[in-house]
Amino acid sequence: MPLVSSQGVSFGGVSARKLTIKKSRSKPGDNKLDASTLAIAHGGNRVYEDGLPDNGPNGSTNGGITVTAAVEFFGSKPAVGSTASWSGVTLKCIDSELTSDAGALVQGVANYTSDFTA
């Protein structure tokens, strides 16, 4: 049974019990990093320096934002390489594992990312 959010967004074909979505990397041109030190006077301004450009492989299609998802599920695990989509972004399963505790339901965690070469 796919996970469907309260906004009607579905995710994959696993019996998910928890989904964590994270977006990382800044958009192209926004690579300022906080270079402040403890030498800032009280009430002084922070110092920002240009960081290294890091637009990721999705720079042309997703603005350099990498989306990752961790799905906690019950039952059988999704196959590595299988895909799911979230909010118009295709995510690929990069690993999954099962936990089989005595007297408990079989459960596990699968990790997905948009940071792959299609």
Side-chain angles (χ1 to χ4, degrees), residues 3-13 18-24 62 65-71 83-92 112-114 116:
L3 175 72
V4 180
S5 74
S6 60
Q7 291 80 28
V9 178
S10 63
F11 190 89
K18 182 178 178 183
L19 173 65
T20 305
I21 300 284
K22 177 180 145 185
K23 292 182 178 182
S24 59
N62 198 24
I65 303 297
T66 298
V67 179
T68 56
V71 183
T83 60
S85 62
W86 176 78
S87 211
V89 177
T90 299
L91 303 172
K92 187 180 206 176
Y112 290 78
T113 184
S114 66
F116 67 93

Side-chain angles (χ1 to χ4, degrees), residues 12-51:
V14 297
S15 297
R17 66 184 190 106
K18 182 178 178 183
L19 173 65
T20 305
I21 300 284
K22 177 180 145 185
K23 292 182 178 182
S24 59
R25 292 195 179 137
S26 36
K27 292 183 180 178
D30 182 19
N31 59 348
K32 296 283 188 184
L33 300 173
D34 187 349
S36 304
T37 66
L38 295 176
I40 296 176
H42 179 72
N45 293 325
R46 291 190 171 273
V47 177
Y48 293 94
E49 298 287 338
D50 286 332

Side-chain angles (χ1 to χ4, degrees), residues 74-117:
F74 292 115
S76 54
K77 64 182 181 176
V80 171
S82 62
T83 60
S85 62
W86 176 78
S87 211
V89 177
T90 299
L91 303 172
K92 187 180 206 176
C93 181
I94 56 171
D95 64 30
S96 60
E97 64 181 59
L98 286 178
T99 303
S100 299
D101 294 331
L105 294 172
V106 175
Q107 57 187 338
V109 176
N111 294 299
Y112 290 78
T113 184
S114 66
D115 194 4
F116 67 93
T117 304

